[in-house]
Amino acid sequence: MLNQIELRKKATQVRQATALAHPNIAFIKYWGNQDHALRLPVNPSLSMNLGALHTQTTVTFDDSLQHDLLTINQQTYASDEPAYQRVCHHVDIVREWANIATSARIESSSNFPVGSGIASSAAAFAALSVASSAAAGLTLTEAQLSQLARRGSGSASRSVPTGYCEWTLGNDVDSVAVSIAPPDYWDLQDVVVVVSQEHKTVGSTGGHQLADTSSLQAARVVGAESRFNACREALLARDLARMGAIIEEDTVIMHGVMMSSHPPLYYWNAGTMRIIQATQQWRSKGLPVYFTIDAGPNVHLICEAAHVQAVVKAAKQLPEVQDVLVSGPGGPARLI
Ligand code: PMV
């Protein structure tokens, strides 16, 4: 691993580093892996970082520690908990790359609630990758950080570069995300409409492993590349009507795969369907807004900044809506 990727060690070893990363919303979704361990996706995806939301993580390598310590949002995790194992496995990759064996203290907090329909793992693994690699004394390129983040959570690869990002296919080194436009290229807004705060029973790591059990997945993957190209083109042309139709189709196809998996994954609830129908009604009355939905029931409404107040107001009038969060485009994962 170490000699495949040119890693340069800093002259003076940094023991502690803090990083901040934003979550992202995918316009073209990633669902299913070619390689589960490396999280190499079966299709390219496209996203926007969410600048109003972030996760901040401090990693301290400390010789006096006997084992890793993990705190997320002030809660300490025991070594037999899945979150602890996933995070420490990620830090193990960094230790391997840096050729160190020191245990670490990892402290992370987010400014958005768990269960709000925001994929917290994207921001979490992007921030963890930037902080832990710097604290281990590595100086990684953006591509190497995106590769590292991808190993923790596929979508985290897209939270490393700035603004609007694409994550393409490739091998371990090549399947990384790059920015296709900075945050100020287009002031798109994500209005996150919360219709449930329950923790999902099957997370995306388990979901990706079920994708191939759906007879629809092969067709989804075949069509994904042309949706990706068309969406990318519409985004760069700042054409929301064209892009909106593609993102709605792409998310519905992904949920079709989820619902037809064995066992099936029904992430939608009645509130989800209500927001989809309301979005169509709002559009027919002249409000340009489009929906996309991740691995959960909550709906992300995508619109331009000029219409965000109208979208928030309309959403808050629906009885199914428990909360609304708003974010525009965000910058890269970075040391602070
Ligand atoms: O990165 P993961 O394993 O949390 O998967 C993300 C899956 C979706 O959010 C449903 C789609 C995406 O591309 O973000």
Side-chain angles (χ1 to χ4, degrees), residues 24 26 28-31 39 45 121 153-156 158 204-205 208 254 258 294-295:
N24 66 76
I28 297 295
K29 306 294 188 188
Y30 144 59
W31 198 246
R39 297 183 196 263
S45 55
S121 64
S153 172
S155 57
R158 299 188 310 242
S204 43
T205 298
H208 292 297
M254 178 183 72
M258 293 162 160
D294 279 344

PDB file of all heavy atoms in Angstrom, residues 24 26 28-31 39 45 121 153-156 158 204-205 208 254 258 294-295, ligand 1:
ATOM      1  N   ASN A  24     -22.587  15.684   2.068  1.00  0.00           N
ATOM      2  CA  ASN A  24     -22.968  16.047   0.694  1.00  0.00           C
ATOM      3  C   ASN A  24     -24.273  15.369   0.322  1.00  0.00           C
ATOM      4  O   ASN A  24     -24.643  14.360   0.919  1.00  0.00           O
ATOM      5  CB  ASN A  24     -21.843  15.689  -0.290  1.00  0.00           C
ATOM      6  CG  ASN A  24     -21.600  14.197  -0.412  1.00  0.00           C
ATOM      7  OD1 ASN A  24     -22.368  13.474  -1.055  1.00  0.00           O
ATOM      8  ND2 ASN A  24     -20.535  13.701   0.235  1.00  0.00           N
ATOM      9  N   ALA A  26     -26.184  13.607  -2.902  1.00  0.00           N
ATOM     10  CA  ALA A  26     -25.919  13.079  -4.249  1.00  0.00           C
ATOM     11  C   ALA A  26     -27.079  13.400  -5.181  1.00  0.00           C
ATOM     12  O   ALA A  26     -28.249  13.200  -4.827  1.00  0.00           O
ATOM     13  CB  ALA A  26     -25.694  11.576  -4.186  1.00  0.00           C
ATOM     14  N   ILE A  28     -26.746  12.209  -8.504  1.00  0.00           N
ATOM     15  CA  ILE A  28     -26.729  10.873  -9.111  1.00  0.00           C
ATOM     16  C   ILE A  28     -26.184   9.955  -8.023  1.00  0.00           C
ATOM     17  O   ILE A  28     -25.093  10.182  -7.503  1.00  0.00           O
ATOM     18  CB  ILE A  28     -25.840  10.826 -10.374  1.00  0.00           C
ATOM     19  CG1 ILE A  28     -26.398  11.752 -11.466  1.00  0.00           C
ATOM     20  CG2 ILE A  28     -25.704   9.380 -10.894  1.00  0.00           C
ATOM     21  CD1 ILE A  28     -27.767  11.368 -12.033  1.00  0.00           C
ATOM     22  N   LYS A  29     -26.955   8.933  -7.672  1.00  0.00           N
ATOM     23  CA  LYS A  29     -26.650   8.146  -6.476  1.00  0.00           C
ATOM     24  C   LYS A  29     -25.657   7.012  -6.729  1.00  0.00           C
ATOM     25  O   LYS A  29     -25.644   6.408  -7.808  1.00  0.00           O
ATOM     26  CB  LYS A  29     -27.946   7.502  -5.940  1.00  0.00           C
ATOM     27  CG  LYS A  29     -29.089   8.463  -5.685  1.00  0.00           C
ATOM     28  CD  LYS A  29     -28.794   9.438  -4.571  1.00  0.00           C
ATOM     29  CE  LYS A  29     -30.042  10.245  -4.222  1.00  0.00           C
ATOM     30  NZ  LYS A  29     -29.736  11.323  -3.265  1.00  0.00           N
ATOM     31  N   TYR A  30     -24.918   6.738  -5.679  1.00  0.00           N
ATOM     32  CA  TYR A  30     -24.035   5.560  -5.603  1.00  0.00           C
ATOM     33  C   TYR A  30     -24.818   4.479  -4.864  1.00  0.00           C
ATOM     34  O   TYR A  30     -25.276   4.706  -3.749  1.00  0.00           O
ATOM     35  CB  TYR A  30     -22.775   5.997  -4.851  1.00  0.00           C
ATOM     36  CG  TYR A  30     -22.107   4.996  -3.924  1.00  0.00           C
ATOM     37  CD1 TYR A  30     -21.640   3.764  -4.395  1.00  0.00           C
ATOM     38  CD2 TYR A  30     -21.905   5.319  -2.581  1.00  0.00           C
ATOM     39  CE1 TYR A  30     -20.992   2.882  -3.532  1.00  0.00           C
ATOM     40  CE2 TYR A  30     -21.251   4.444  -1.719  1.00  0.00           C
ATOM     41  CZ  TYR A  30     -20.806   3.227  -2.197  1.00  0.00           C
ATOM     42  OH  TYR A  30     -20.166   2.364  -1.347  1.00  0.00           O
ATOM     43  N   TRP A  31     -24.995   3.332  -5.478  1.00  0.00           N
ATOM     44  CA  TRP A  31     -25.677   2.218  -4.792  1.00  0.00           C
ATOM     45  C   TRP A  31     -25.131   0.894  -5.306  1.00  0.00           C
ATOM     46  O   TRP A  31     -25.397   0.504  -6.437  1.00  0.00           O
ATOM     47  CB  TRP A  31     -27.203   2.294  -4.964  1.00  0.00           C
ATOM     48  CG  TRP A  31     -27.925   1.450  -3.944  1.00  0.00           C
ATOM     49  CD1 TRP A  31     -28.676   0.339  -4.175  1.00  0.00           C
ATOM     50  CD2 TRP A  31     -27.951   1.655  -2.517  1.00  0.00           C
ATOM     51  NE1 TRP A  31     -29.166  -0.168  -3.002  1.00  0.00           N
ATOM     52  CE2 TRP A  31     -28.729   0.623  -1.953  1.00  0.00           C
ATOM     53  CE3 TRP A  31     -27.380   2.593  -1.658  1.00  0.00           C
ATOM     54  CZ2 TRP A  31     -28.948   0.511  -0.578  1.00  0.00           C
ATOM     55  CZ3 TRP A  31     -27.601   2.493  -0.295  1.00  0.00           C
ATOM     56  CH2 TRP A  31     -28.381   1.451   0.224  1.00  0.00           C
ATOM     57  N   ARG A  39     -14.736  -0.475  -1.171  1.00  0.00           N
ATOM     58  CA  ARG A  39     -15.838   0.440  -1.513  1.00  0.00           C
ATOM     59  C   ARG A  39     -15.601   1.067  -2.894  1.00  0.00           C
ATOM     60  O   ARG A  39     -15.580   2.289  -3.049  1.00  0.00           O
ATOM     61  CB  ARG A  39     -16.032   1.513  -0.437  1.00  0.00           C
ATOM     62  CG  ARG A  39     -16.443   0.928   0.919  1.00  0.00           C
ATOM     63  CD  ARG A  39     -16.708   2.013   1.952  1.00  0.00           C
ATOM     64  NE  ARG A  39     -16.731   1.461   3.296  1.00  0.00           N
ATOM     65  CZ  ARG A  39     -17.828   1.117   3.988  1.00  0.00           C
ATOM     66  NH1 ARG A  39     -19.011   1.287   3.452  1.00  0.00           N
ATOM     67  NH2 ARG A  39     -17.746   0.611   5.198  1.00  0.00           N
ATOM     68  N   SER A  45     -21.011   8.829  -9.522  1.00  0.00           N
ATOM     69  CA  SER A  45     -22.021   9.643  -8.830  1.00  0.00           C
ATOM     70  C   SER A  45     -21.595  11.105  -8.801  1.00  0.00           C
ATOM     71  O   SER A  45     -20.432  11.439  -9.077  1.00  0.00           O
ATOM     72  CB  SER A  45     -22.274   9.091  -7.425  1.00  0.00           C
ATOM     73  OG  SER A  45     -21.066   8.999  -6.688  1.00  0.00           O
ATOM     74  N   SER A 121     -22.089   9.852   7.731  1.00  0.00           N
ATOM     75  CA  SER A 121     -20.837   9.130   7.529  1.00  0.00           C
ATOM     76  C   SER A 121     -19.941   9.828   6.499  1.00  0.00           C
ATOM     77  O   SER A 121     -18.724   9.721   6.573  1.00  0.00           O
ATOM     78  CB  SER A 121     -21.102   7.686   7.111  1.00  0.00           C
ATOM     79  OG  SER A 121     -21.760   7.651   5.872  1.00  0.00           O
ATOM     80  N   SER A 153     -16.362   5.300   3.978  1.00  0.00           N
ATOM     81  CA  SER A 153     -17.747   5.423   3.515  1.00  0.00           C
ATOM     82  C   SER A 153     -17.652   5.955   2.092  1.00  0.00           C
ATOM     83  O   SER A 153     -17.018   6.991   1.872  1.00  0.00           O
ATOM     84  CB  SER A 153     -18.494   6.419   4.410  1.00  0.00           C
ATOM     85  OG  SER A 153     -19.761   6.706   3.890  1.00  0.00           O
ATOM     86  N   GLY A 154     -18.262   5.242   1.149  1.00  0.00           N
ATOM     87  CA  GLY A 154     -18.084   5.623  -0.258  1.00  0.00           C
ATOM     88  C   GLY A 154     -18.367   7.094  -0.517  1.00  0.00           C
ATOM     89  O   GLY A 154     -17.566   7.808  -1.126  1.00  0.00           O
ATOM     90  N   SER A 155     -19.501   7.561  -0.005  1.00  0.00           N
ATOM     91  CA  SER A 155     -19.894   8.948  -0.274  1.00  0.00           C
ATOM     92  C   SER A 155     -18.935   9.947   0.366  1.00  0.00           C
ATOM     93  O   SER A 155     -18.910  11.116  -0.025  1.00  0.00           O
ATOM     94  CB  SER A 155     -21.325   9.189   0.203  1.00  0.00           C
ATOM     95  OG  SER A 155     -21.440   8.890   1.578  1.00  0.00           O
ATOM     96  N   ALA A 156     -18.143   9.529   1.355  1.00  0.00           N
ATOM     97  CA  ALA A 156     -17.174  10.430   1.993  1.00  0.00           C
ATOM     98  C   ALA A 156     -16.102  10.888   1.002  1.00  0.00           C
ATOM     99  O   ALA A 156     -15.521  11.960   1.164  1.00  0.00           O
ATOM    100  CB  ALA A 156     -16.525   9.747   3.191  1.00  0.00           C
ATOM    101  N   ARG A 158     -16.627  12.049  -1.782  1.00  0.00           N
ATOM    102  CA  ARG A 158     -17.141  13.272  -2.419  1.00  0.00           C
ATOM    103  C   ARG A 158     -17.149  14.463  -1.478  1.00  0.00           C
ATOM    104  O   ARG A 158     -17.421  15.585  -1.909  1.00  0.00           O
ATOM    105  CB  ARG A 158     -18.565  13.015  -2.964  1.00  0.00           C
ATOM    106  CG  ARG A 158     -18.674  11.931  -4.034  1.00  0.00           C
ATOM    107  CD  ARG A 158     -20.096  11.910  -4.620  1.00  0.00           C
ATOM    108  NE  ARG A 158     -21.070  11.873  -3.549  1.00  0.00           N
ATOM    109  CZ  ARG A 158     -21.951  10.897  -3.333  1.00  0.00           C
ATOM    110  NH1 ARG A 158     -22.018   9.860  -4.153  1.00  0.00           N
ATOM    111  NH2 ARG A 158     -22.792  10.956  -2.321  1.00  0.00           N
ATOM    112  N   SER A 204     -26.407   2.073   4.989  1.00  0.00           N
ATOM    113  CA  SER A 204     -26.008   1.962   3.591  1.00  0.00           C
ATOM    114  C   SER A 204     -24.937   0.889   3.360  1.00  0.00           C
ATOM    115  O   SER A 204     -24.931   0.265   2.299  1.00  0.00           O
ATOM    116  CB  SER A 204     -25.587   3.314   3.023  1.00  0.00           C
ATOM    117  OG  SER A 204     -24.792   3.996   3.935  1.00  0.00           O
ATOM    118  N   THR A 205     -24.064   0.643   4.343  1.00  0.00           N
ATOM    119  CA  THR A 205     -23.049  -0.406   4.131  1.00  0.00           C
ATOM    120  C   THR A 205     -23.735  -1.753   3.860  1.00  0.00           C
ATOM    121  O   THR A 205     -23.376  -2.463   2.914  1.00  0.00           O
ATOM    122  CB  THR A 205     -22.109  -0.508   5.354  1.00  0.00           C
ATOM    123  OG1 THR A 205     -21.436   0.741   5.490  1.00  0.00           O
ATOM    124  CG2 THR A 205     -21.074  -1.605   5.179  1.00  0.00           C
ATOM    125  N   HIS A 208     -25.670  -1.582   0.327  1.00  0.00           N
ATOM    126  CA  HIS A 208     -24.854  -1.786  -0.884  1.00  0.00           C
ATOM    127  C   HIS A 208     -24.671  -3.284  -1.161  1.00  0.00           C
ATOM    128  O   HIS A 208     -24.606  -3.712  -2.307  1.00  0.00           O
ATOM    129  CB  HIS A 208     -23.474  -1.145  -0.724  1.00  0.00           C
ATOM    130  CG  HIS A 208     -23.516   0.360  -0.683  1.00  0.00           C
ATOM    131  ND1 HIS A 208     -23.951   1.122  -1.736  1.00  0.00           N
ATOM    132  CD2 HIS A 208     -23.184   1.241   0.300  1.00  0.00           C
ATOM    133  CE1 HIS A 208     -23.882   2.406  -1.412  1.00  0.00           C
ATOM    134  NE2 HIS A 208     -23.428   2.508  -0.176  1.00  0.00           N
ATOM    135  N   MET A 254     -33.097   4.158  -7.877  1.00  0.00           N
ATOM    136  CA  MET A 254     -32.342   3.565  -6.760  1.00  0.00           C
ATOM    137  C   MET A 254     -33.300   2.975  -5.722  1.00  0.00           C
ATOM    138  O   MET A 254     -33.071   1.859  -5.212  1.00  0.00           O
ATOM    139  CB  MET A 254     -31.440   4.604  -6.094  1.00  0.00           C
ATOM    140  CG  MET A 254     -30.687   4.033  -4.889  1.00  0.00           C
ATOM    141  SD  MET A 254     -29.674   5.237  -4.003  1.00  0.00           S
ATOM    142  CE  MET A 254     -30.920   6.218  -3.182  1.00  0.00           C
ATOM    143  N   MET A 258     -33.759  -0.782  -4.138  1.00  0.00           N
ATOM    144  CA  MET A 258     -33.819  -1.063  -2.693  1.00  0.00           C
ATOM    145  C   MET A 258     -35.078  -1.875  -2.343  1.00  0.00           C
ATOM    146  O   MET A 258     -35.011  -2.864  -1.618  1.00  0.00           O
ATOM    147  CB  MET A 258     -33.838   0.258  -1.912  1.00  0.00           C
ATOM    148  CG  MET A 258     -32.543   1.049  -2.006  1.00  0.00           C
ATOM    149  SD  MET A 258     -32.843   2.769  -1.516  1.00  0.00           S
ATOM    150  CE  MET A 258     -31.176   3.308  -1.108  1.00  0.00           C
ATOM    151  N   ASP A 294     -32.124   9.910  -0.014  1.00  0.00           N
ATOM    152  CA  ASP A 294     -31.026   8.972   0.255  1.00  0.00           C
ATOM    153  C   ASP A 294     -31.571   7.697   0.922  1.00  0.00           C
ATOM    154  O   ASP A 294     -32.748   7.402   0.804  1.00  0.00           O
ATOM    155  CB  ASP A 294     -29.955   9.651   1.106  1.00  0.00           C
ATOM    156  CG  ASP A 294     -29.029  10.513   0.240  1.00  0.00           C
ATOM    157  OD1 ASP A 294     -29.026  10.331  -0.986  1.00  0.00           O
ATOM    158  OD2 ASP A 294     -28.317  11.346   0.808  1.00  0.00           O
ATOM    159  N   ALA A 295     -30.710   6.979   1.649  1.00  0.00           N
ATOM    160  CA  ALA A 295     -31.134   5.717   2.274  1.00  0.00           C
ATOM    161  C   ALA A 295     -31.886   6.015   3.573  1.00  0.00           C
ATOM    162  O   ALA A 295     -31.418   5.731   4.669  1.00  0.00           O
ATOM    163  CB  ALA A 295     -29.919   4.846   2.523  1.00  0.00           C
TER     164      ALA A 295
HETATM  165  O1  PMV B   1     -21.408   6.253   1.475  1.00  0.00           O
HETATM  166  P1  PMV B   1     -22.523   5.369   1.932  1.00  0.00           P
HETATM  167  O2  PMV B   1     -22.093   3.970   2.129  1.00  0.00           O
HETATM  168  O3  PMV B   1     -23.193   5.971   3.151  1.00  0.00           O
HETATM  169  O4  PMV B   1     -23.631   5.310   0.791  1.00  0.00           O
HETATM  170  C1  PMV B   1     -24.378   6.422   0.357  1.00  0.00           C
HETATM  171  C2  PMV B   1     -25.593   5.973  -0.368  1.00  0.00           C
HETATM  172  C3  PMV B   1     -26.575   7.069  -0.771  1.00  0.00           C
HETATM  173  O5  PMV B   1     -26.587   8.126   0.165  1.00  0.00           O
HETATM  174  C4  PMV B   1     -27.975   6.457  -0.799  1.00  0.00           C
HETATM  175  C5  PMV B   1     -26.279   7.600  -2.166  1.00  0.00           C
HETATM  176  C6  PMV B   1     -25.108   8.530  -2.307  1.00  0.00           C
HETATM  177  O6  PMV B   1     -24.516   8.489  -3.389  1.00  0.00           O
HETATM  178  O7  PMV B   1     -24.814   9.322  -1.394  1.00  0.00           O
END
